[in-house]
Each structure stands twice: as C-alpha cells, then as structure tokens.
Amino acid sequence: MPSVLGVLERRERVALARAEELRAELEGLQAAVAEADEAARRAVIAREETVAALGELADEAAVPGAPVGAPVVEPVVGVVGPRVEVPFWSEGLGIDALPPDCARIVALVERDAAGGGDGVRARAMREDLGWPASDAREQAARFRAKRLAERGWLSEGRPGLFRPRAA
C-alpha cells in the first residue's frame, strides 16, 4: 500500500508540471496577441494611407478639366501623385476657389441642408460625382469631405455625416 505522503508528492509533481505547461502556453498566447495587435495597427495605417492615396489620385484625375483660376497642383514628394490643395475657408471666398469635385461636394451638402436634410454621407457624394460604385471611390469621397471639414468648408456633426459649415 502506497504511503499517503508519496501520493501527495506525486499529485504535487503533476500539478507543478501542469502549471509549467500552462505558463508556456500562456507565453505563446501573449506573443500571439502582441502579433495580432501589431497586425491590426499596420492594417489601420495601410487603410489610412490607401484612402489618402486614392483621394490624391482622384484629385489628379479632376485637374485636366479644372476651370481657369483653379488651385495650383503641386507634386508632393513621396506620394503617389500630385495633390490639389483645398484652401482654408475665409469670408468672401466662394466655392469656385475649390477643386471641381470638392466644389460639387460642398454644393451637394448645401442643397441637402436647404432641403431640410440631416446631412450627406460619402455614398451620396460618390453618386452625385458620377463615380462608379466601389468602396475605394466612396472612401475617396469621404476623404475629400473630411478635408473640406478640416479646412472649414463643411462640418461633421456625427462621424461620416457632413453638413454645411457652422455660421
């Protein structure tokens, strides 16, 4: 008959071995979580860079038909194409100072507000601009609207919902 102390020592060794296995597994899981967090961070950066690049490509495509007096297109080093600068809003500056697509977005938002609308989302902007239905084009429209909001031409009350600038 085995001794009680021998049985308890065996149980202790088994429990310690299991605890060590679980610690090793925990370290592996923590490393996997750190890798997943890093991958998510890189994906966010890639998405933001893609949206910015698509917006700049769309700006570049709009330039050939730009009216006289449109903003000057200057190349930006390290970026996929030239960038059309959106001027900051100031008293007396009309939408004719904006790149054509941006001017159409501001006009759409103002029409929506005049009709009692709650605001305009990127999908409606993409449709109004006559762009094909795609996530990339919708992101490009959203990028322009956000730039217009940053420059004082529009306001963004709720995320993704654009209204005329506050008076």
Side-chain angles (χ1 to χ4, degrees), residues 57-100:
L57 286 174
D59 286 344
E60 178 183 343
V63 171
V68 175
V72 177
V73 177
E74 297 177 0
V76 178
V77 178
V79 180
V80 175
R83 178 182 178 130
V84 175
E85 287 297 321
V86 175
F88 284 92
W89 181 88
S90 64
E91 192 67 40
L93 193 60
I95 64 172
D96 56 332
L98 293 171

Side-chain angles (χ1 to χ4, degrees), residues 47-72:
R47 180 178 43 83
E48 290 171 350
E49 290 295 320
T50 301
V51 168
L54 289 172
E56 291 167 3
L57 286 174
D59 286 344
E60 178 183 343
V63 171
V68 175
V72 177

Side-chain angles (χ1 to χ4, degrees), residues 53-143:
L54 289 172
E56 291 167 3
L57 286 174
D59 286 344
E60 178 183 343
V63 171
V68 175
V72 177
V73 177
E74 297 177 0
V76 178
V77 178
V79 180
V80 175
R83 178 182 178 130
V84 175
E85 287 297 321
V86 175
F88 284 92
W89 181 88
S90 64
E91 192 67 40
L93 193 60
I95 64 172
D96 56 332
L98 293 171
D101 289 341
C102 292
R104 289 180 63 188
I105 289 172
V106 171
L108 171 66
V109 170
E110 288 174 352
R111 282 194 315 270
D112 175 75
D118 291 333
V120 180
R121 296 205 175 269
R123 177 172 292 167
M125 293 174 198
R126 177 193 47 78
E127 291 170 355
D128 187 69
L129 291 167
W131 292 348
S134 74
D135 287 341
R137 287 310 220 167
E138 204 164 300
Q139 288 291 337
R142 184 175 294 110
F143 176 80

